[in-house]
Amino acid sequence: MDGLVVRTTGSWYDVTTDDGVVPCKVRGRFRLEGGDSTNPVVIGDRVRIQGQPDGTGVIVHLYDRSSVLVRRAAGRRVGVSHVIAANLDAAWVVQSVDLPRFNPGFVDRFLVMAGVHRIPAGIVINKSDLLDDRTGPPIAFWADLYRDLGYPVLLTSALHAEGLEPLREALKDRISVVAGPSGVGKSTLLNTMEEALDLRTGEVSARTRKGMHTTTVASLHALEGGGYVADTPGLREFGLVELDPPHLSHYFTEMAPLLEGCRYPNCTHDHEPGCAVIDAVDAGEISQERYASYLGMLGSLRKGEKDVGR
Ligand SMILES: Nc1nc2c(ncn2[C@@H]2O[C@H](COP(=O)(O)OP(=O)(O)OP(=O)(O)O)[C@@H](O)[C@H]2O)c(=O)[nH]1
Ligand SMILES: [Mg+2]
Ligand SMILES: [Zn+2]
């Protein structure tokens, strides 16, 4: 029997089949084949299962994945990855206008990792009800910047049920994931958009202005209009994996078309003479913010390489 993995908790995997949801275990060898990943079977995986007399199942085969969204495992070295979900058609990074504050570094890292795995990505900016004289200008700046780069940017308020129609349309008939820091309102947004969902939501701490990590496991949900969406636990940071420093610029959409113009083919665009990217930054064609973000990522990739080499 074939099915779709919709939830994983420790050693159990909920698999949706023609007979409904079957709680499954994984045959031991998958753990060994998982390689450098902390989790061998993830939501979005297509699997074959063998039913057991007690109504549970055993996952006996993992079908090839068309895509994966991967980040560096929390607190691990660069070489160890955590697969968030498989077989994704789209990946949305969710941020909020405030509480917690919009985090462009998180967005840029997410966009790079989606790019590496060839998953079309977009940005949801939630809590639009918190737009005011203070929050408005920076949010307008970031929204324009990412739109100019060609990414879809959706502005929503889960609280006031505003901006949900474009989101619903974007999620229709495909498998998508929403990911972002804790407390930006990922679960609230999905609950408001899709009444049948009853995802747990939590407060943002008044002291730290951050979320409390309410969602603890990723889960995939069928949508009324067709398609599936994955809600995921909030992340402190989005760690990069599987990237050589000279390749990073390929995933900055404003840099990629310029790379032929650099004097050195393995230019990292931070110090080399004759660099087309540095020229474009100086000419104001690439934003200072994105370039700073690029340099930050380059630094952490280099640092990570050294860690792994030890
Ligand atoms: N003002 C405002 N608050 C919102 C909005 N959406 C969600 N919230 C609040 O933000 C807090 C966090 O919401 P959650 O949906 O639990 O956030 P999350 O992103 O799922 O967080 P984790 O599961 O911890 O990753 C809750 O108090 C929500 O009521 C919104 O559009 N506007
Ligand atoms: Mg949540
Ligand atoms: Zn260069």
Side-chain angles (χ1 to χ4, degrees):
M1 195 161 47
D2 285 348
L4 174 69
V5 177
V6 293
R7 197 177 150 88
T8 70
T9 49
S11 51
W12 286 98
Y13 301 82
D14 285 348
V15 177
T16 295
T17 69
D18 291 343
D19 293 350
V21 175
V22 181
C24 294
K25 292 245 183 196
V26 168
R27 227 184 231 170
R29 66 188 172 89
F30 279 128
R31 294 178 187 289
L32 303 174
E33 284 171 7
D36 276 347
S37 167
T38 53
N39 51 340
V41 177
V42 301
I43 56 167
D45 267 328
R46 306 258 169 202
V47 294
R48 192 183 314 135
I49 68 170
Q50 236 162 38
Q52 302 295 299
D54 64 357
T56 68
V58 176
I59 296 177
V60 293
H61 182 72
L62 182 61
Y63 288 98
D64 285 346
R65 295 166 170 170
S66 64
S67 67
V68 283
L69 184 65
V70 179
R71 68 177 172 89
R72 183 168 148 193
R76 306 290 186 96
R77 299 178 310 183
V78 158
V80 183
S81 60
H82 180 86
V83 183
I84 295 175
N87 300 317
L88 294 170
D89 302 307
W92 293 87
V93 55
V94 185
Q95 292 282 324
S96 46
V97 164
D98 201 4
L99 297 169
R101 264 172 56 185
F102 189 87
N103 181 344
F106 190 113
V107 173
D108 289 335
R109 285 162 172 267
F110 184 94
L111 296 177
V112 165
M113 285 317 293
V116 168
H117 294 280
R118 295 193 183 80
I119 304 167
I123 300 154
V124 176
I125 307 177
N126 187 38
K127 310 200 185 184
S128 63
D129 51 283
L130 299 181
L131 283 170
D132 59 22
D133 291 349
R134 179 181 62 87
T135 58
I139 293 298
F141 173 85
W142 295 116
D144 286 348
L145 185 146
Y146 290 112
R147 277 194 191 114
D148 287 348
L149 294 175
Y151 295 103
V153 178
L154 306 181
L155 200 59
T156 61
S157 169
L159 186 69
H160 294 170
E162 278 168 11
L164 299 181
E165 215 36 61
L167 181 63
R168 190 173 285 130
E169 199 49 46
L171 299 181
K172 196 169 179 297
D173 290 335
R174 46 185 76 109
I175 302 187
S176 314
V177 67
V178 297
S182 179
V184 295
K186 301 176 293 296
S187 304
T188 311
L189 198 55
L190 297 181
N191 279 344
T192 314
M193 200 194 72
E194 189 86 9
E195 297 208 332
L197 292 182
D198 191 14
L199 304 170
R200 206 159 71 84
T201 63
E203 296 296 299
V204 171
S205 154
R207 188 177 61 81
T208 65
R209 302 167 76 86
K210 289 183 177 159
M212 313 259 217
H213 295 276
T214 307
T215 304
T216 53
V217 292
S219 53
L220 195 57
H221 305 275
L223 296 169
E224 261 169 44
Y228 286 86
V229 65
D231 186 22
T232 61
L235 301 170
R236 259 176 217 96
E237 52 160 24
F238 204 87
L240 300 172
V241 280
E242 295 169 354
L243 250 186
D244 288 333
H247 291 164
L248 177 61
S249 54
H250 290 94
Y251 305 102
F252 276 72
T253 57
E254 68 274 57
M255 296 181 189
L258 304 177
L259 302 177
E260 300 256 293
C262 293
R263 186 177 303 164
Y264 302 107
N266 59 348
C267 185
T268 56
H269 327 297
D270 68 339
H271 66 282
E272 295 89 341
C275 172
V277 170
I278 296 177
D279 287 349
V281 175
D282 289 344
E285 287 152 13
I286 289 178
S287 87
Q288 298 283 347
E289 289 79 3
R290 282 275 288 179
Y291 184 59
S293 182
Y294 168 80
L295 292 179
M297 279 187 230
L298 190 66
S300 62
L301 285 174
R302 284 180 171 149
K303 187 164 165 291
E305 274 193 339
K306 284 200 203 99
D307 287 352
V308 171
R310 234 174 247 156

